[in-house]
Amino acid sequence: MTAITPLVNSLTRRTLSTGWDVRAAAGPTEVGTQRVAAAVPGVIHLDLLSAGLIPDPYVDENESKLSWIGLVDWTYETVLDITPNELASSQRHELVFEGLDTVASVTVNGVLIADVANQHRSYRFDVTNLLSVGGNSLVVAFRSPVRHANAQSVALGTRPRPYPLPFDAIRKSACSFGWDWGIATFASGIWRPVHLDSWSAVRLDAVDVHASPHGDGGTVTVVARLARTDDIAATLAVTVAGCTEIVEIAADAREAHITVEIADVDRWWPAGYGEQPLYDVNIELAVGSSVLDQTSRRVGFRTLRWNTEPDATGTPFQLIVNDQPVFVKGVNWIPDDAFPSRVDAGRYRRRLQQAKDAHLNLIRVWGGGIYESEDFYDACDELGLLTWQDFLFACAAYSEDEPIRSEVEAEARENVRRLAHRASLALLTGNNENLWGYEDWGWKERLDGKSWGSYYYYELFPTIIDELAAHVPYAPGSPFSPGGQHPNAEEHGSMHLWEQWNRRDWPTYRDHTPRFVAEFGWQGPPTWTTLTEAIHDEPLTPESPGMIVHQKAVDGNVKLATGLVGHYRVPEDMETWHWAMQLNQANAVTCALEWFRSHAPHTTGAVVWQLNDCWPVTSWAAIDGGGREKPLLFAIKNAFAPRNVSIQPRGDRLFATLTNDTATEWNGDVVVRRRRFDGKLLAEQSWSVGVPARGNITVDVSVALGEPKNAGGEVLTVEGMATRAFWFFTEARDSALTDPGLSASVTRINETAFDVTITATALVRDLTLLIDKIHPSARVDAGLVTLLPNESVVFRVTGLSNLDADAVLRPEVARSGNQLVAK
């Protein structure tokens, strides 16, 4: 009897990105049933927009005009041509969808191969026996996500949520149903790549990689799970940092383990704490001399944990990397586009570089969005931006029944496995605000015994992490108290602070000394260019129709005005209103960040809501939907500077806090001075100080300095050691700010960069260049600068071919708090 030699060849991957079209199959379509070219990856809105069949959803009041799209079933089709050689050269052909959004039936040559209903996972289908030589029909028929969610809500039971449509009843990005900063799209489409994988004998099915340091060296462990068509012996080789280990795999084995020891590695550090060396782990599966499959992971060697040991004042939530406590300077991240398939590697890199340039070291991926692409996590690894990844549950009670239950487990397993090797991954979190909601938002009564998601947060997710990635820290929710206290307890774990924006003024941030702040923020409009590119109201006012469409927060404009009036009067003209709200947003977050930072190490970090926007909108973002930096980003940059000084009230006294987030001691002389607004010195006090590395000190300001004779016309400064802080004794609206008498000079640096020197003849508060008003592509490196009389500041402006001083000094460009006070 002659043995049959198995077919052995390398896995080949064919990307199926061209030749697709899409049509409306059922529902209230306003474009008929014509076929239009479809982009894959993409979604239906982008296809209809490219075909000229719908207006831009981001512009004016088009959002409501396009709501019908979410009620329509959309069918995507293509023809897959297969040659005889392609069909015969491999034993197995598998269709791989990296992401389908969301409810769809997949057929090949008229045969149904799957019904799917989860945006947050991938799918792999064996189509070997369905393919034939020539053209093969591939159809992905999407069903209305709105109708599906409504039907599932009835089947599973209605549960509490903050918005009308049941985003909790479908495994789809929650914010695609609209949020208090987001457009409702209800999109459908093949939103991530599609491939045809062809292979024989054996391939890599899943690969888990973990890098850990020890002494000067490190260990990389690899667990490879295999898929087979034949029982055939193989080898697995792993190479990292020039070291290779090979293991033999028995013919019937379905799993292989390898450990590679490296004698000398460099540690990976968060931004601001060191470098980010990364090492490629190359993995090859072979039979004899033939490499059948291969993959790679990039890893960094570091230890990471969160200290939650109770202390005298409660329970800390302190990040420790390589045995070094890290003060978390963070921001919350939402999808960078309401249609995430438009966000490519370059855009991720730009956005995250903006974050790093603002001295941030952690990005929290919020639970109402998506698990981001590899491009996002690659950039975080490279830039040293730690990632805090929520599982995708937000602000609602979720059913624990089928079919949701199994889908949640499948997506969690896939994404834990996908992310666990990342050097930047600092925390996995069960949900956003659901533990808090269960306690405080009336859920218990309305649920009336129904499940709400606790099984996922307290049982399923910890079990999956223990099994697949025991080295990755986990918290059941955000906010969360590790000792079992109220989930939003100030003294324990992480806290969200929203009363300031919703009901109280922003100086009341100083009423709180939390252990860790995972969310807080203040609204402001986008940059003027982004605003006016999207809204064409005549006249444009804060309450004009397009502005209201692009303000999603409940009573958002009322809260903006209420939050401003204690500090500045509400302006009547639109451009000044725009600046006042941007400035107040920046001042609010500055107040909070400097206060929290002054309480380190009791407070161990602050995560601002939010870094970015998904479309042009008035929101809490520091970078708007056009990718432009709002004054808020400069507030974050200033407050999170490696070395910072601020003046803080505690009781009836003032204190100067110096914070040193560098690896070296900070020594020098510090002078506190009280002056009149015209610059005349009234009193001063000086010290020689030393601020320890990664530490801070607080200096008591004397009573004589802290009690002005004319509160509205005097200012306190802390100066020295290449930094300065200001304290104003009254709100700006009650002060004697005058026209600052600005002058400017411009020096060309290169073809697209200029240094702009601005001098003030009188005290100027929060001087900021709204540089996009000169050119939409222009950027400036700093903002919110306060100058004493006859002082100057240099701004670096980029993205322009020409610039003159007169353009910079236009009152709508060179903005300050003085303009909101001075007559």
Side-chain angles (χ1 to χ4, degrees):
M1 185 174 183
T2 303
I4 299 174
T5 302
L7 182 64
V8 175
N9 61 6
S10 299
L11 182 148
T12 60
R13 168 158 286 185
R14 179 176 170 185
T15 300
L16 308 180
S17 59
T18 59
W20 291 87
D21 61 43
V22 62
R23 61 179 174 82
T29 175
E30 295 186 9
V31 296
T33 58
Q34 61 181 300
R35 295 180 183 271
V36 300
V40 172
V43 290
I44 184 61
H45 292 72
L46 303 182
D47 298 329
L48 298 177
L49 186 62
S50 295
L53 296 175
I54 62 170
D56 190 333
Y58 289 4
V59 172
D60 296 327
E61 301 170 73
N62 291 337
E63 176 188 8
S64 61
K65 297 176 183 177
L66 300 176
S67 61
W68 59 269
I69 294 174
L71 296 169
V72 174
D73 298 345
W74 299 97
T75 298
Y76 285 72
E77 299 181 59
T78 192
V79 174
L80 175 58
D81 288 317
I82 302 288
T83 67
N85 184 58
E86 287 174 317
L87 193 62
S89 63
S90 298
Q91 292 175 321
R92 183 73 54 83
H93 301 280
E94 293 172 335
L95 192 60
V96 180
F97 292 93
E98 293 187 23
L100 294 170
D101 184 9
T102 293
V103 185
S105 299
V106 182
T107 60
V108 175
N109 289 330
V111 177
L112 176 68
I113 61 171
D115 284 310
V116 302
N118 193 335
Q119 182 185 3
H120 306 312
R121 58 175 294 199
S122 63
Y123 300 93
R124 179 181 288 269
F125 307 117
D126 182 0
V127 294
T128 307
N129 297 326
L130 297 178
L131 297 179
S132 59
V133 173
N136 293 265
S137 168
L138 174 56
V139 179
V140 183
F142 290 95
R143 297 187 291 281
S144 159
V146 175
R147 296 182 192 277
H148 178 85
N150 283 329
Q152 285 296 102
S153 181
V154 172
L156 296 168
T158 300
R159 283 167 169 79
R161 58 180 181 273
Y163 302 109
L165 288 174
F167 65 81
D168 57 293
I170 181 174
R171 294 312 298 154
K172 177 176 172 62
S173 173
C175 63
S176 69
F177 286 79
W179 215 259
D180 58 4
W181 37 258
I183 182 175
T185 62
F186 321 117
S188 295
I190 305 171
W191 78 291
R192 283 185 165 161
V194 186
H195 313 286
L196 182 68
D197 282 0
S198 300
W199 58 281
S200 300
V202 61
R203 67 167 175 81
L204 297 169
D205 187 44
V207 176
D208 301 329
V209 177
H210 176 218
S212 59
H214 51 78
D216 294 331
T219 300
V220 172
T221 58
V222 176
V223 178
R225 293 166 178 81
L226 309 178
R228 290 181 174 274
T229 60
D230 284 299
D231 289 340
I232 187 171
T235 60
L236 188 71
V238 175
T239 301
V240 56
C243 301
T244 300
E245 294 289 341
I246 302 174
V247 66
E248 301 289 335
I249 304 172
D252 60 348
R254 294 296 188 271
E255 189 170 288
H257 297 245
I258 289 187
T259 299
V260 183
E261 299 287 347
I262 306 101
D264 186 28
V265 299
D266 295 320
R267 295 286 182 109
W268 185 98
W269 289 92
Y273 286 75
E275 300 301 315
Q276 293 81 43
L278 295 168
Y279 295 80
D280 290 324
V281 181
N282 296 309
I283 302 152
E284 289 187 346
L285 177 67
V287 171
S289 61
S290 299
V291 176
L292 270 61
D293 199 0
Q294 55 190 324
T295 189
S296 66
R297 303 286 189 273
R298 282 194 311 169
V299 299
F301 291 88
R302 89 292 187 273
T303 63
L304 187 150
R305 63 188 176 90
W306 295 81
N307 173 28
T308 58
E309 288 297 317
D311 58 24
T313 55
T315 313
F317 194 64
Q318 182 181 43
L319 177 63
I320 299 175
V321 179
N322 296 326
D323 298 322
Q324 168 67 58
V326 173
F327 185 87
V328 170
K329 304 173 182 178
V331 281
N332 286 271
W333 173 276
I334 65 171
D336 203 53
D337 198 299
F339 308 113
S341 59
R342 290 201 286 202
V343 185
D344 60 13
R347 182 160 158 186
Y348 277 123
R349 183 74 185 215
R350 289 191 299 275
R351 200 69 67 248
L352 293 168
Q353 186 66 57
Q354 288 171 300
K356 184 172 182 177
D357 290 345
H359 307 306
L360 292 159
N361 60 25
L362 181 141
I363 310 293
R364 177 190 172 217
V365 184
W366 169 74
I370 60 174
Y371 297 106
E372 293 290 345
S373 78
E374 301 299 333
D375 295 326
F376 172 88
Y377 303 103
D378 283 346
C380 288
D381 286 347
E382 294 162 8
L383 294 171
L385 294 172
L386 296 157
T387 52
W388 162 339
Q389 175 69 61
D390 284 2
F391 288 96
L392 298 184
F393 298 82
C395 304
Y398 287 80
S399 171
E400 298 168 13
D401 298 328
E402 296 294 353
I404 292 288
R405 188 184 184 103
S406 294
E407 288 294 341
V408 167
E409 179 170 358
E411 75 183 55
R413 286 185 171 277
E414 176 175 339
N415 286 286
V416 167
R417 176 165 277 152
R418 182 169 74 94
L419 300 178
H421 71 281
R422 293 288 183 178
S424 59
L425 183 61
L427 186 68
L428 292 170
T429 302
N431 66 81
N432 175 74
E433 297 190 343
N434 293 353
L435 309 183
W436 185 15
Y438 184 72
E439 290 298 327
D440 283 359
W441 300 349
W443 290 9
K444 294 178 183 179
E445 295 78 9
R446 283 181 283 157
L447 283 165
D448 196 21
K450 292 196 291 286
S451 61
W452 59 279
S454 60
Y455 162 73
Y456 304 138
Y457 316 137
Y458 292 112
E459 297 181 51
L460 178 64
F461 297 157
T463 299
I464 290 172
I465 292 168
D466 285 346
E467 175 190 343
L468 300 177
H471 59 282
V472 178
Y474 172 74
S478 182
F480 173 68
S481 296
Q485 302 86 358
H486 187 283
N488 203 37
E490 184 169 327
E491 303 85 0
H492 305 280
S494 60
M495 185 182 192
H496 293 192
L497 280 170
W498 283 114
E499 285 300 295
Q500 282 66 34
W501 163 251
N502 285 320
R503 278 167 283 275
R504 307 177 68 198
D505 203 355
W506 53 257
T508 65
Y509 284 123
R510 300 192 185 107
D511 293 345
H512 300 279
T513 53
R515 305 308 303 266
F516 187 101
V517 189
E519 275 191 25
F520 75 97
W522 203 270
Q523 265 205 349
T527 61
W528 189 253
T529 296
T530 297
L531 183 73
T532 54
E533 284 177 346
I535 303 172
H536 305 104
D537 295 343
E538 287 291 346
L540 180 65
T541 75
E543 291 83 24
S544 58
M547 285 292 293
I548 295 303
V549 169
H550 292 77
Q551 164 60 280
K552 295 297 184 180
V554 174
D555 295 328
N557 278 8
V558 172
K559 292 175 183 178
L560 283 173
T562 301
L564 177 71
V565 75
H567 312 284
Y568 292 101
R569 288 180 174 82
V570 179
E572 297 300 326
D573 72 280
M574 180 62 188
E575 282 203 64
T576 307
W577 177 92
H578 170 266
W579 162 240
M581 296 307 175
Q582 285 197 327
L583 176 59
N584 201 44
Q585 178 185 37
N587 289 164
V589 172
T590 297
C591 170
L593 289 181
E594 292 188 338
W595 176 255
F596 298 146
R597 201 172 175 192
S598 76
H599 284 84
H602 174 87
T603 300
T604 58
V607 186
V608 180
W609 186 273
Q610 66 211 65
L611 177 68
N612 59 326
D613 266 328
C614 65
W615 74 311
V617 66
T618 296
S619 82
W620 297 264
I623 302 169
D624 71 22
R628 299 181 177 94
E629 295 156 353
K630 294 161 63 172
L632 173 57
L633 195 71
F634 299 124
I636 294 170
K637 183 177 182 179
N638 296 343
F640 276 157
R643 289 174 169 170
N644 174 270
V645 59
S646 67
I647 303 174
Q648 301 294 341
R650 297 187 184 180
D652 58 357
R653 297 291 300 278
L654 294 175
F655 295 82
T657 298
L658 292 94
T659 303
N660 178 21
D661 195 13
T662 74
T664 58
E665 189 175 3
W666 188 24
N667 298 305
D669 295 326
V670 174
V671 182
V672 179
R673 295 185 175 97
R674 181 160 51 84
R675 294 182 174 92
R676 292 195 322 215
F677 278 11
D678 63 8
K680 180 177 174 57
L681 181 64
L682 300 174
E684 71 177 30
Q685 178 184 7
S686 62
W687 307 270
S688 291
V689 299
V691 189
R694 312 295 181 189
N696 62 14
I697 64 169
T698 298
V699 179
D700 187 353
V701 175
S702 70
V703 174
L705 270 95
E707 293 183 350
K709 294 181 175 59
N710 174 17
E714 296 178 19
V715 61
L716 199 67
T717 64
V718 179
E719 303 172 68
M721 299 166 65
T723 187
R724 182 165 67 179
F726 292 82
W727 178 263
F728 291 90
F729 296 100
T730 65
E731 293 293 345
R733 62 171 291 159
D734 301 319
S735 71
L737 290 173
T738 61
D739 184 336
L742 302 179
S743 61
S745 62
V746 176
T747 303
R748 180 181 288 276
I749 302 302
N750 56 42
E751 291 183 356
T752 60
F754 301 84
D755 276 349
V756 178
T757 302
I758 297 184
T759 302
T761 58
L763 184 146
V764 61
R765 189 167 176 179
D766 290 320
L767 176 63
T768 302
L769 301 183
L770 303 189
I771 204 68
D772 65 288
K773 292 186 176 183
I774 294 178
H775 191 280
S777 299
R779 291 186 61 196
V780 64
D781 69 333
L784 305 169
V785 177
T786 296
L787 298 174
L788 294 171
N790 302 312
E791 289 185 338
S792 300
V793 62
V794 179
F795 296 99
R796 175 64 56 88
V797 175
T798 57
L800 293 169
S801 58
N802 291 289
L803 183 63
D804 62 71
D806 289 342
V808 172
L809 289 175
R810 284 161 40 201
E812 66 271 23
V813 174
R815 283 295 196 179
S816 70
N818 299 46
Q819 294 171 319
L820 305 177
V821 176
K823 302 297 185 289

